[in-house]
């Protein structure tokens, strides 16, 4: 069975994402790999999932697909981001989970990412430092909550607007309808931008939720959508599911879950700016698939730092994990001085960029894992830019939705999370 688009370099039609699954299979790595027949049994159903996505795209019934295809609001978003760039030196984003992770992943591709600060973990000390710090008059705040009732976000917004110092709230993003955040915006006369009510937060990166803060930091929003659209078209127009990289990735992951009930999906990104993408992926996979006893634990293990921490466990521990090595080359031009490197006995570093070392470590990690009988998928992009991150986001959105189809779960809800929010609210009400 051929694996066009899944093993070997990308085709001229597909976006520049390289996926190699050859070292995931048992015939390459032994008993620790995925049995080829187990993978092949899942592919017909993965094909049916792709057919459903094709129908949804044609009908415009699945928002995350429509935003990747859409271009009509980019000029308006760019104009608003440009206005904010003129008004503010820094934009502070108040939100959590899907409201901020996509924007952080996209903003990490920009050299101006430091103009953004995401306060996404309900950290009162950090918020106090912002409100007490210098240059508050040139700081803008963007408040994002789809429901308009996210407790952490509401608490931070109340603290900002209730502070004695005047603050600049650029806008509030929330879905239409009555909500505490809408009432707060009305009370203070704040601009309100509509969050698509049909779009889940973890699938919202290509909407204004992810693009607007990223564009404030100088990210090319069109490039991000172009990358997503290229992956979407290549995946859904593939002649067979084995030719669709996201479908193949989903089948691999579900085959691993069937083989090892406690399987973990380990993402090891090697390259500049990829760690925020890893956090976005972690939420997407965990919250979409972890239902009714199904799913697998996503583990973010950034390279090369986790070569010095988790890799020992991955190589010599109990196994039962599926690894993805994600690579993007570094473009920084500085080379190590050969004479200086030789003088200290590190001549092998001479003439190389730091990115050359990171790339060598990625290859070494993949080799060590496969030598230890661990299944390893290789994913690569030509650069960690907006187009590539957009492409990777769409790849993993599709991979997640297809995996959900194979598992028989709804990838777009999160009932356990909603239960936790309700319990926290009742606890505070009991203390009042």
């Amino acid at each position: 069975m051929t694996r066009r688009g899944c093993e070997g370099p990308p085709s001229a039609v597909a976006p520049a994402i390289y996926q190699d699954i050859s070292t995931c299979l048992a015939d390459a790595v032994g008993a620790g790999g995925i049995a080829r027949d187990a993978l092949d049994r899942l592919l017909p159903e993965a094909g049916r999932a792709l057919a459903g996505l094709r129908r949804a795209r044609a009908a415009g019934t699945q928002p995350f697909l429509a935003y990747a295809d859409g271009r009509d609001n980019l000029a308006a978003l760019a104009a608003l981001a440009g206005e904010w760039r003129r008004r503010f030196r820094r934009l502070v984003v108040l939100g959590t989970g899907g409201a901020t992770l996509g924007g952080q992943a996209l903003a990490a591709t920009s050299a101006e990412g430091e103009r953004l600060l995401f306060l996404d973990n309900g950290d009162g000390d950090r918020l106090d430092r912002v409100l007490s710090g210098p240059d508050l008059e040139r700081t803008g705040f963007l408040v994002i909550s789809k429901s308009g009732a996210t407790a952490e976000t509401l608490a931070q917004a109340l603290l900002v607007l209730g502070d004695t110092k005047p603050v600049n709230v650029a806008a509030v993003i929330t879905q239409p309808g009555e909500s505490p955040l809408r009432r707060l915006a009305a009370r203070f006369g704040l601009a309100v931008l509509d969050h698509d009510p049909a779009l889940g937060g973890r699938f919202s990166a290509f909407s204004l939720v992810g693009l607007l803060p990223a564009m404030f930091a100088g990210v090319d929003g069109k490039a991000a959508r172009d990358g997503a659209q290229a992956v979407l078209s290549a995946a859904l127009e593939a002649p067979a599911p084995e030719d669709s990289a996201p479908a193949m990735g989903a089948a691999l992951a579900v085959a691993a879950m069937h083989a090892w009930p406690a399987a973990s999906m380990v993402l090891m990104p090697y390259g500049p700016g990829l760690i925020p993408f890893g956090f976005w992926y972690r939420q997407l996979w965990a919250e979409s698939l972890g239902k009714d006893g199904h799913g697998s634990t996503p583990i973010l293990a950034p390279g090369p730092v986790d070569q010095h921490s988790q890799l020992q466990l991955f190589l010599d521990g109990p196994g039962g994990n599926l690894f993805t090595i994600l690579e993007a080359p570094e473009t920084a031009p500085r080379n190590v001085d050969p004479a200086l490197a030789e003088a200290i006995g590190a001549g092998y570093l001479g003439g190389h960029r730091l990115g050359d070392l990171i790339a060598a470590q990625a290859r070494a990690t993949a080799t060590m894992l496969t030598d230890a009988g661990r299944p390893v998928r290789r994913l690569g992009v030509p650069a960690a830019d907006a187009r590539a991150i957009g492409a990777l986001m769409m790849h993993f959105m599709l991979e997640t939705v297809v995996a959900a189809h194979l598992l028989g779960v709804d990838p777009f809800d999160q009932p356990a999370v909603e239960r936790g929010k309700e319990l926290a609210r009742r606890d505070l009400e009991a203390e009042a």
Side-chain angles (χ1 to χ4, degrees):
M1 178 181 295
T2 59
R3 300 280 194 266
R4 294 188 305 274
C6 298
E7 295 179 7
S11 71
V13 177
I17 294 182
Y18 166 78
Q19 174 170 270
D20 182 357
I21 68 160
S22 60
T23 50
C24 292
L25 302 175
D27 54 12
V29 297
I34 306 299
R36 186 176 289 271
D37 61 346
L39 177 63
D40 290 343
R41 283 195 297 270
L42 290 166
L43 288 173
E45 193 61 37
R48 285 185 275 276
L50 291 175
L53 287 166
R54 282 194 293 273
R55 291 191 295 271
R57 186 189 194 188
T61 55
Q62 187 45 261
F64 82 93
L65 305 178
Y67 279 100
D69 284 330
R71 300 293 181 273
D72 56 320
N73 68 339
L74 284 174
L77 291 178
L80 185 54
E83 176 194 336
W84 291 355
R85 285 170 64 86
R86 291 187 291 273
R87 289 175 58 193
F88 308 126
R89 290 180 182 169
R90 178 175 62 169
L91 185 68
V92 178
V93 183
L94 307 180
T96 193
T100 60
L101 289 171
Q104 291 183 69
L106 288 165
T109 68
S110 173
E112 298 183 70
E114 71 278 357
R115 295 189 66 171
L116 276 174
L117 175 62
F118 290 88
L119 296 184
D120 58 353
N121 201 39
D123 188 332
D125 287 341
R126 289 187 75 201
L127 178 59
D128 186 65
R129 287 194 292 271
V130 171
L131 294 174
S132 303
D135 212 21
L136 185 61
E137 69 279 4
R138 295 297 306 277
T139 297
F141 291 84
L142 175 62
V143 187
I144 307 176
S145 168
K146 179 189 175 183
S147 67
T150 307
E152 302 94 321
T153 306
L154 284 175
Q156 290 187 108
L158 287 165
L159 288 168
V160 166
L161 290 164
D163 193 63
T164 56
K165 298 178 182 177
V167 295
N168 299 300
V169 176
V172 164
I173 298 177
T174 189
Q175 67 186 4
E178 186 70 12
S179 71
L181 187 54
R182 287 254 173 188
R183 290 192 288 271
L184 184 66
R187 183 183 182 94
F188 285 90
L190 307 178
V192 180
L193 306 174
D194 286 339
H195 191 305
D196 187 336
L199 186 65
R202 58 188 178 275
F203 291 91
S204 66
F206 304 121
S207 75
L208 82 169
V209 174
L211 284 190
L212 190 52
M215 291 168 78
F216 174 85
V219 171
D220 185 341
K222 180 178 181 298
R225 284 188 182 173
D226 285 349
Q229 186 183 55
V231 165
L232 179 60
S233 295
L236 298 191
E237 295 167 12
E242 57 264 31
D243 301 307
S244 173
M248 182 63 74
L252 274 171
V254 173
M257 294 178 215
H258 290 167
W260 314 300
S264 294
M265 302 295 119
V266 182
L267 180 69
M268 301 191 74
Y270 285 81
L274 292 177
I275 294 176
F277 171 81
F279 285 115
W280 170 86
Y281 156 79
R282 191 175 67 175
Q283 185 209 11
L284 175 74
W285 191 261
E287 201 166 68
S288 300
L289 301 183
K291 294 155 193 173
D292 302 326
H294 296 292
S296 57
T297 302
I299 296 175
L300 176 59
V305 65
D306 271 318
Q307 290 180 207
H308 303 276
S309 56
Q310 296 192 80
L311 186 57
Q312 174 62 42
L313 173 65
F314 297 154
L315 288 170
D316 212 22
N321 302 320
L322 179 63
F323 295 88
T324 296
I325 305 291
L326 175 59
E327 300 168 77
E330 186 177 286
T331 57
R334 297 177 188 273
N335 290 352
V336 173
D337 180 86
L340 181 57
E342 189 66 37
I344 65 166
Y348 66 96
L349 294 174
H352 291 293
R353 298 177 302 169
L354 186 57
D356 298 331
L357 173 61
I358 305 308
Q361 289 176 322
R363 293 190 295 270
T365 298
T367 298
M368 286 189 292
L369 287 167
T370 55
D371 286 349
R374 311 309 197 200
V376 178
R377 168 174 61 165
R378 302 284 295 274
L379 274 178
V381 291
D385 57 16
R387 179 181 171 86
I389 295 300
L392 286 169
M393 283 180 156
M394 180 52 68
H395 173 99
F396 279 105
M397 287 181 190
L398 293 172
E399 184 170 300
T400 300
V401 170
V402 174
H405 177 89
L406 295 175
L407 294 170
V409 300
D410 182 350
F412 302 112
D413 67 356
Q414 53 280 334
V417 174
E418 298 305 322
R419 173 66 173 158
K421 293 177 182 178
E422 176 64 19
L423 289 175
R425 185 181 68 81
R426 289 183 187 178
D427 185 72
L428 287 175
E429 288 174 343
E431 292 181 2

